[in-house]
Amino acid sequence: MTDTVSFHALVPAAGTGSRMGGDMPKQYLSLLGRPVIAHTLDALLRVPRLASVCVVLSPGDTWWERYAWPDDRRLRVLRSGGATRAASVAQGLAVLAGETSAKDWVLVHDAARACLAPEQVDHMLDELREDPIGGLLAMPLADTLKRADAAGRVDATLPRAGLWQAQTPQMFRIGLLADALRAYPDVTDEAGAIEAAGHAPRLIESGGANFKITYPQDLALAASILASRKEPRE
Ligand code: C5P
């Protein structure tokens, strides 16, 4: 029997991006002449299977209305972001939970991962739609890990076998994720709450292009990745 679950994207965008410096939240910094988050939303809206794409802004956000946004009925905006990313996600989930079935899926995606490819989202939907738990895009760790001491010298080299870097989207059933975040609000990603609730999310291998824009120099890298995709292919 074909199930009729739906898929929804949730984009927490209520952060200030303090590591970027400057006054403008990083999701609004200019990337190829548009705000960072416009590229992120483009990628999600290019996935026809996503029934809605919900952006969670800070209640005090005065930037959003200064720009033009994709004319797509699936895009919606909530101004109820919280003090932490988990609180912003929980606010978005509360609204989605009232309109969907607990078994429907939500894909939580960082506003600042602007180089997500729609094909990656499609791949994720195919891989996880029958999964009992859900999972996340992630990348096997390539670098050797060092732990620093207080003087900034290497204290230890840590084994990297089996270690992955978590990315987003992180895709879970709406009901399961809402319960997990309610019980474990002090997490840094959605998978962390699901793990704390005793489940094992699946890792879906991704690449380095889906990185999170965090430092000023990241904008040039994101611009070159996005521009290379727009070049005509033979
Ligand atoms: O700061 P960081 O890059 O870890 O934020 C990840 C995502 O969470 C960003 O899209 C940011 O806007 C969002 N966020 C949020 N509410 C907060 C803090 C971060 O929606 N209070």
Side-chain angles (χ1 to χ4, degrees):
M1 200 180 86
T2 330
D3 60 23
T4 53
V5 294
S6 56
F7 305 97
H8 302 267
L10 181 59
V11 182
T16 54
S18 52
R19 283 168 291 188
M20 269 286 179
D23 295 335
M24 185 186 256
K26 68 178 173 181
Q27 57 271 26
Y28 294 113
L29 291 174
S30 178
L31 175 56
L32 298 176
R34 301 168 68 212
V36 163
I37 189 176
H39 298 276
T40 311
L41 297 175
D42 274 357
L44 293 167
L45 291 167
R46 280 168 57 202
V47 179
R49 276 186 286 175
L50 289 178
S52 72
V53 175
C54 181
V55 183
V56 183
L57 302 179
S58 155
D61 187 310
T62 55
W63 299 91
W64 178 265
E65 50 269 21
R66 302 183 197 189
Y67 302 96
W69 300 101
D71 182 18
D72 188 315
R73 282 162 179 259
R74 294 174 299 157
L75 179 62
R76 58 193 296 199
V77 179
L78 301 176
R79 293 175 175 275
S80 53
T84 63
R85 174 207 160 96
S88 300
V89 171
Q91 288 292 330
L93 282 178
V95 171
L96 275 181
E99 303 169 352
T100 57
S101 142
K103 290 218 160 133
D104 287 339
W105 291 97
V106 63
L107 286 81
V108 181
H109 184 61
D110 290 330
R113 289 187 196 271
C115 297
L116 175 72
E119 298 76 23
Q120 288 181 290
V121 180
D122 266 323
H123 175 61
M124 181 171 211
L125 298 185
D126 292 339
E127 289 291 317
L128 294 178
R129 55 174 300 142
E130 306 293 345
D131 195 274
I133 309 302
L136 61 148
L137 292 189
M139 201 172 82
L141 208 68
D143 297 324
T144 298
L145 281 184
K146 304 288 185 192
R147 191 174 57 214
D149 66 14
R153 291 187 169 273
V154 174
D155 176 46
T157 296
L158 307 176
R160 69 166 182 233
L163 292 187
W164 293 58
Q165 280 179 277
Q167 299 182 346
T168 68
Q170 303 206 353
M171 169 172 164
F172 297 103
R173 307 262 181 194
I174 291 171
L176 182 70
L177 182 57
D179 289 348
L181 280 176
R182 211 171 294 122
Y184 305 99
D186 298 325
V187 290
T188 50
D189 69 352
E190 293 64 51
I194 298 287
E195 293 155 42
H199 306 290
R202 226 181 104 196
L203 293 162
I204 307 288
E205 187 162 348
S206 173
N210 185 31
F211 73 100
K212 184 165 68 174
I213 296 170
T214 306
Y215 302 103
Q217 62 271 27
D218 293 343
L219 285 166
L221 176 59
S224 77
I225 292 170
L226 291 172
S228 74
R229 292 197 191 137
K230 290 193 199 319
E231 281 164 13
R233 292 178 205 154
E234 287 302 314

